[in-house]
Amino acid sequence: MGYVIQTEHLTKSYHTGAGDLEVLHGVDFALEEGEFTAIMGPSGSGKSTFMNILGCLDSPTSGVYRLLGEEVEKLSPDQLAERRLHYLGFVFQGYNLLPRADLLENVALPLLYAKVPAAQRKKEAQEMLERVGLGPWSHHRPAQVSGGQQQRAAIARALVGHPSLILADEPTGNLDTQTSDEIMALLSGLNDTGITLVLVTHEPDVASYAKRLTRFRDGLLVEDCPVTDRRRP
Ligand code: ADP
Ligand code: MG
């Protein structure tokens, strides 16, 4: 089996007023299909920068990133858009839903970008909302539902292109413990169906749902090991 994700000596520098600031110093990382890793590490250690590169939301300064065997830097914009829809889904701490659109429209958005016809968009978005337990809420706007439900809708949006990989950057960061556990049960269940999962979290309790733990410090991957006492929903 090939790797879903593979990075070779990935670096990232930001241009700042004070000059170039390197925040990833050469990260080698690989993930096979079906894996579920939790990325932990202090604030500012480069976790989000790394996730944004994995999610093709940002590009590395140097090094190689392969997504399902293909070098992302070599893809055309059209190829990249197609991969974004069908290979990966991204879940953010703040849900990032459009406030004026209902949940159905939010979940259907990636399909709109992919020019899927309206009737099919609606049908597939409704199916995904049902999969995350939000079937009856499709015509509510984000502000009319709870934080946990908003995150479920964001997960449905990440799933709508049937990706092989879900990237979640602190998805439970704004949620109470019980709601966090519900979201982790949902994400663990997706991994059980074969979806590869990368999750960033500060919480050891949340990380313990994962099969593997990847630790960052000061822009470097400093530890990568199996989770021994894995928590199951
Ligand atoms: P984490 O997610 O682990 O908290 P980040 O990846 O967000 O860390 O940030 C890593 C470092 O990069 C931090 O020092 C942060 O201040 C810096 N950084 C992140 N984004 C930018 C940016 N757009 N411009 C300049 N510096 C940035
Ligand atoms: Mg972060």
Side-chain angles (χ1 to χ4, degrees):
M1 195 71 240
Y3 293 118
V4 174
I5 286 175
Q6 194 183 18
T7 73
E8 281 173 12
H9 213 74
L10 213 67
T11 77
K12 178 70 185 180
S13 298
Y14 290 112
H15 304 291
T16 71
D20 281 1
L21 175 72
E22 189 179 88
V23 301
L24 291 179
H25 306 301
V27 177
D28 295 290
F29 177 74
L31 201 67
E32 287 178 40
E33 190 178 330
E35 285 203 83
F36 175 6
T37 197
I39 297 182
M40 298 194 79
S43 185
S45 57
K47 305 179 301 294
S48 292
T49 301
F50 184 62
M51 290 288 272
N52 290 341
I53 294 172
L54 296 185
C56 307
L57 303 172
D58 202 353
S59 25
T61 303
S62 70
V64 177
Y65 171 32
R66 286 193 199 87
L67 177 61
L68 289 149
E70 295 179 310
E71 265 188 58
V72 168
E73 288 296 296
K74 293 189 176 159
L75 298 175
S76 70
D78 279 354
Q79 287 174 320
L80 197 57
E82 201 268 341
R83 305 298 185 275
R84 271 210 201 96
L85 179 67
H86 293 297
Y87 288 13
L88 50 93
F90 211 108
V91 180
F92 304 88
Q93 176 173 357
Y95 326 129
N96 293 20
L97 299 170
L98 298 179
R100 301 172 74 91
D102 66 23
L103 298 187
L104 188 80
E105 290 163 334
N106 268 286
V107 173
L109 205 60
L111 302 177
L112 177 69
Y113 293 142
K115 302 187 171 62
V116 171
Q120 193 185 340
R121 290 202 301 267
K122 208 170 158 179
K123 178 173 166 285
E124 292 185 13
Q126 184 63 35
E127 277 170 18
M128 282 308 154
L129 281 169
E130 274 156 28
R131 183 161 172 193
V132 301
L134 287 177
W137 302 89
S138 56
H139 295 299
H140 286 66
R141 288 186 185 186
Q144 296 172 313
V145 301
S146 70
Q149 287 171 318
Q150 289 182 62
Q151 194 58 296
R152 280 175 187 276
I155 292 169
R157 180 186 56 192
L159 285 171
V160 81
H162 301 280
S164 344
L165 171 68
I166 298 263
L167 302 167
D169 192 353
E170 307 210 35
T172 64
N174 291 354
L175 303 174
D176 62 60
T177 308
Q178 190 194 326
T179 311
S180 290
D181 284 335
E182 288 166 14
I183 292 295
M184 288 315 301
L186 174 60
L187 291 173
S188 300
L190 296 176
N191 178 246
D192 290 339
T193 70
I195 294 177
T196 309
L197 210 58
V198 183
L199 162 88
V200 172
T201 181
H202 279 302
E203 299 288 331
D205 276 358
V206 171
S208 65
Y209 282 95
K211 297 170 175 168
R212 177 173 153 188
L213 182 65
T214 306
R215 212 178 278 280
F216 273 66
R217 189 176 302 136
D218 298 331
L220 283 169
L221 197 165
V222 293
E223 189 186 352
D224 205 342
C225 60
V227 170
T228 42
D229 267 331
R230 193 176 173 216
R231 193 165 158 202
R232 297 294 291 161

